[in-house]
Amino acid sequence: MSPVRPQRKIGRLSEIGRVATRHGFGYLVDRRRRDDRREPADRGRRLREMLDELGPTFVKFGQLLSTRPDLVPPDIVAELRGLQDDVSPFPFAQVREVVETELGLTVEQAFTAFDEHPIAAASIGQVHRATLPNGQQVVVKVQRPAAPRQVESDLQLMRSAARVVRERVRALDFIDAEALVEEFARSIHQELDYGNEARNAETFRRNFGDSEQVVVPKVIRPYSGERVLTLEYLEGAQFADLDLESRSPEERRELAYRMTDAWMTMIFRHGFFHGDPHPANILLLEDGRIGLVDFGLAGRLTEEDMTRLTRLFVDAATENVEALPRRLSELGLRYPKEREDELRAAIEDLYYRYYGSSLSEIDPIEVIREGLDLIYSLNLRLPSRFVVLDKTIATLGAVGIELYPEFNVFEVARPYARGLLADRFSPRRMSLRAQHEVRELAGIARELPYQARDVLEQARQGQLELQLRNPGLDDLAYHIDHALNRLAVALIVLGGLVGSSIVGVLAKEGPRVMGLHALSFVGFVISSLFGLWLVWGIARSGRL
């Protein structure tokens, strides 16, 4: 990958600064460290518009932020979920070049027909219909030629912007912006690798191999590569394009519940689920089955995740609210220990607000919104796999309500949750779990003497080190550094004033200015300038 040219990088940084200022985020390019904690009502809209104007990579970053309710306020999450990844298609000449480079064949050799006009276009690539030599209808997903270079360029700028946020925006101190950018870098690198999407599609197809309700297109491996993905063509209409007004309420309800049933199967039975149930990624096929497309984002839940979820369900069902924070912690939820009592009280409040209500009386979208408020207000940190799950269920709920206004995603999930409980507490499953835990304990007992010996050996050799981390120390060092700088300037000013006064009193000869000895006058002027500079710096920081 060739390095980004300095001139282009500077020009792009200037563009980002102008766009940020235009949308009311000028303090990001201000040299001062701001403590801007205001929350204007339209900040989410302004952020969405800014990311949209900055281009496709920033749009995708905004889409990632919309899946992080543990880091981003709920009002901004809601706005960022409106970001669209639609862009103008790139020329067919470039499509031809990528296809022929990846496949080692000309377009005419590989396909008997290839539609030059794409049926969909996004920031990473676009999709064309084509026909294989055996007559099979396929879709060919082709990556933009400049996509990897543009992504790397923008990632460098995002890393720079993350450092600026850390240094200058105190209101965002609780966000590890640099870690967030690195998470986005991993995500978009996976999206750039069409081989990863092909593997996801094959896993989904294998999991739904016996299904009579869900169809996953077959990956055509000989016609796929890192930048080209060829899939079996599914004949049907996107859910986004369905004419719902012409369908009866019963038909719309059936569509919503069948769609959600497919995702509940993925989550609770397969442990591997499609992470973007957008209506454009779900097809209603001509035979009435549901087809899935776009497999770049997928989530995975391990056996251990399922076991821990089961414990959480059991405690919730038996009203053991005291145990819920611990169960959430086992699932990977991170929260400040000093706020554990506050978290428990908030969970109890949310739990008893809905406890005893039937599912038909509960608004899933409102429950999810309240959950997001709780996550953000307590600065909770979610594992990435559950962030994808949260986004998936929230999107399912929204799409289901569009299809059928009385839709309730919890009603569809209930039998699956019951099945999960029955499966996890079956005699066979409990026997396997007991065997696994015995092996784990035996391994710990076997390793413990060796680990104790290693610690004692390090202590004997004087190599044992203890590291203490306090997140507040960095901020304390920052304040001490500023205070020492101001103290040094104040001492210089004081020394200058005292020295000038002594010269003015003792010096009897030499030139004078305004009745003062010239050296004394110069000293007073320099000290005054330093003094004004110090006062101006203190006033500028807003801290007297």
Side-chain angles (χ1 to χ4, degrees):
M1 189 70 65
S2 60
V4 181
R5 294 178 180 176
Q7 297 90 341
R8 288 182 55 194
K9 183 175 180 179
I10 292 172
R12 181 64 166 153
L13 280 172
S14 299
E15 179 190 356
I16 292 172
R18 289 194 300 271
V19 173
T21 302
R22 185 161 57 248
H23 289 279
F25 298 100
Y27 55 81
L28 293 178
V29 294
D30 194 323
R31 295 181 63 87
R32 291 172 289 175
R33 180 170 172 83
R34 288 286 298 272
D35 190 13
D36 190 348
R37 298 181 183 274
R38 295 171 299 166
E39 296 190 0
D42 64 341
R43 62 180 179 173
R45 176 188 58 78
R46 291 187 290 109
L47 180 60
R48 173 176 56 79
E49 291 174 352
M50 182 186 78
L51 294 174
D52 195 43
E53 186 173 344
L54 287 174
T57 308
F58 286 85
V59 166
K60 285 194 168 294
F61 183 61
Q63 291 171 338
L64 169 69
L65 290 177
S66 73
T67 69
R68 297 307 305 262
D70 51 336
L71 299 179
V72 182
D75 61 309
I76 293 182
V77 167
E79 280 288 345
L80 294 183
R81 283 180 174 168
L83 282 169
Q84 298 298 315
D85 194 22
D86 296 327
V87 297
S88 301
F90 57 96
F92 182 71
Q94 295 180 355
V95 173
R96 175 185 290 276
E97 178 184 352
V98 173
V99 171
E100 294 181 352
T101 300
E102 284 292 309
L103 303 184
L105 299 170
T106 66
V107 171
E108 289 74 21
Q109 290 173 329
F111 307 96
T112 57
F114 196 103
D115 190 350
E116 295 187 9
H117 303 287
I119 57 177
S123 58
I124 299 297
Q126 60 192 38
V127 181
H128 295 257
R129 287 194 62 177
T131 307
L132 297 179
N134 62 5
Q136 183 179 9
Q137 297 292 307
V138 296
V139 293
V140 184
K141 191 173 182 179
V142 184
Q143 191 175 109
R144 291 176 179 269
R149 184 173 64 252
Q150 182 63 50
V151 165
E152 289 302 325
S153 172
D154 283 341
L155 283 175
Q156 288 187 33
L157 297 174
M158 285 181 177
R159 291 183 177 106
S160 300
R163 286 193 293 271
V164 170
V165 167
R166 183 193 62 195
E167 295 167 1
R168 301 182 185 173
V169 187
R170 190 173 303 281
L172 299 180
D173 276 350
F174 67 91
I175 294 178
D176 190 344
E178 291 172 296
L180 195 59
V181 170
E182 291 307 318
E183 178 184 337
F184 171 64
R186 289 192 297 270
S187 172
I188 201 166
H189 283 146
Q190 286 185 351
E191 194 168 343
L192 285 168
D193 180 9
Y194 283 0
N196 178 67
E197 183 172 349
R199 290 188 291 274
N200 288 344
E202 288 173 334
T203 301
F204 286 123
R205 182 174 173 83
R206 185 167 56 250
N207 289 344
F208 282 109
D210 299 328
S211 175
E212 298 180 354
Q213 300 294 328
V214 179
V215 178
V216 177
K218 180 182 178 181
V219 177
I220 314 299
R221 279 290 184 179
Y223 295 88
S224 300
E226 290 186 2
R227 297 190 296 160
V228 173
L229 177 60
T230 302
L231 298 163
E232 170 189 8
Y233 176 70
L234 300 182
E235 187 71 50
Q238 295 179 349
F239 271 36
D241 297 332
L242 293 178
D243 182 10
L244 298 177
E245 298 299 326
S246 64
R247 297 177 180 271
S248 66
E250 291 75 18
E251 290 176 317
R252 294 173 65 170
R253 181 184 185 281
E254 175 70 13
L255 279 177
Y257 278 75
R258 282 175 54 205
M259 171 197 71
T260 310
D261 185 74
W263 258 266
M264 293 300 114
T265 299
M266 288 186 252
I267 293 169
F268 288 100
R269 293 182 181 168
H270 301 160
F272 186 73
F273 56 94
H274 192 300
D276 189 13
H278 189 275
N281 295 334
I282 311 169
L283 306 178
L284 180 61
L285 306 185
E286 293 181 337
D287 59 5
R289 293 183 295 173
I290 289 177
L292 306 179
V293 297
D294 195 352
F295 309 100
L297 179 61
R300 188 184 298 274
L301 296 176
T302 65
E303 280 290 312
E304 190 62 28
D305 289 332
M306 291 298 191
T307 299
R308 290 167 177 169
L309 277 172
T310 303
R311 293 171 183 162
L312 179 66
F313 289 156
V314 169
D315 285 329
T318 57
E319 207 173 343
N320 187 13
V321 185
E322 287 290 319
L324 294 183
R326 185 173 70 255
R327 297 304 183 203
L328 291 171
S329 179
E330 290 173 357
L331 285 168
L333 184 74
R334 294 291 174 262
Y335 54 87
K337 288 300 180 184
E338 63 271 13
R339 305 190 71 176
E340 184 169 357
D341 291 339
E342 187 180 352
L343 171 64
R344 183 178 291 106
I347 290 175
E348 286 182 3
D349 179 64
L350 184 62
Y351 179 86
Y352 286 114
R353 197 178 311 157
Y354 295 101
Y355 184 76
S357 303
S358 66
L359 288 178
S360 60
E361 297 173 335
I362 298 175
D363 179 0
I365 303 301
E366 179 64 19
V367 173
I368 291 172
R369 186 193 65 77
E370 291 185 13
L372 298 185
D373 285 339
L374 174 62
I375 288 168
Y376 178 73
S377 63
L378 294 181
N379 191 18
L380 308 181
R381 296 296 179 91
L382 299 175
S384 58
R385 62 191 184 280
F386 290 110
V387 168
V388 176
L389 179 61
D390 164 74
K391 177 204 175 220
T392 300
I393 293 177
T395 306
L396 272 178
V399 174
I401 287 175
E402 283 184 27
L403 292 171
Y404 182 63
E406 297 180 15
F407 170 78
N408 190 314
V409 67
F410 292 159
E411 289 183 353
V412 185
R414 178 169 54 183
Y416 285 93
R418 285 177 176 170
L420 180 64
L421 289 173
D423 177 65
R424 296 288 143 174
F425 288 99
S426 66
R428 174 180 168 276
R429 179 74 68 172
M430 294 185 71
S431 173
L432 291 174
R433 190 180 309 136
Q435 293 175 27
H436 174 73
E437 291 182 357
V438 167
R439 285 195 298 269
E440 289 289 318
L441 291 173
I444 293 172
R446 186 173 57 251
E447 292 294 328
L448 188 59
Y450 299 101
Q451 292 174 351
R453 185 192 65 183
D454 290 342
V455 171
L456 292 174
E457 184 66 19
Q458 288 180 0
R460 187 181 69 81
Q461 296 176 359
Q463 297 177 349
L464 188 63
E465 296 181 359
L466 296 177
Q467 292 185 350
L468 299 177
R469 285 192 62 191
N470 187 333
L473 288 179
D474 291 338
D475 202 38
L476 178 62
Y478 169 83
H479 289 301
I480 291 174
D481 182 55
H482 271 246
L484 289 176
N485 288 341
R486 289 174 181 171
L487 181 60
V489 174
L491 289 175
I492 291 172
V493 172
L494 180 61
L497 291 173
V498 172
S500 299
S501 299
I502 293 173
V503 169
V505 171
L506 299 180
K508 303 299 183 181
E509 299 179 355
R512 293 184 173 270
V513 179
M514 299 178 64
L516 297 172
H517 192 278
L519 289 179
S520 179
F521 179 79
V522 171
F524 279 126
V525 170
I526 294 175
S527 299
S528 299
L529 291 175
F530 272 108
L532 290 173
W533 180 41
L534 177 61
V535 172
W536 178 73
I538 294 174
R540 187 170 178 260
S541 69
R543 300 187 180 194
L544 296 175

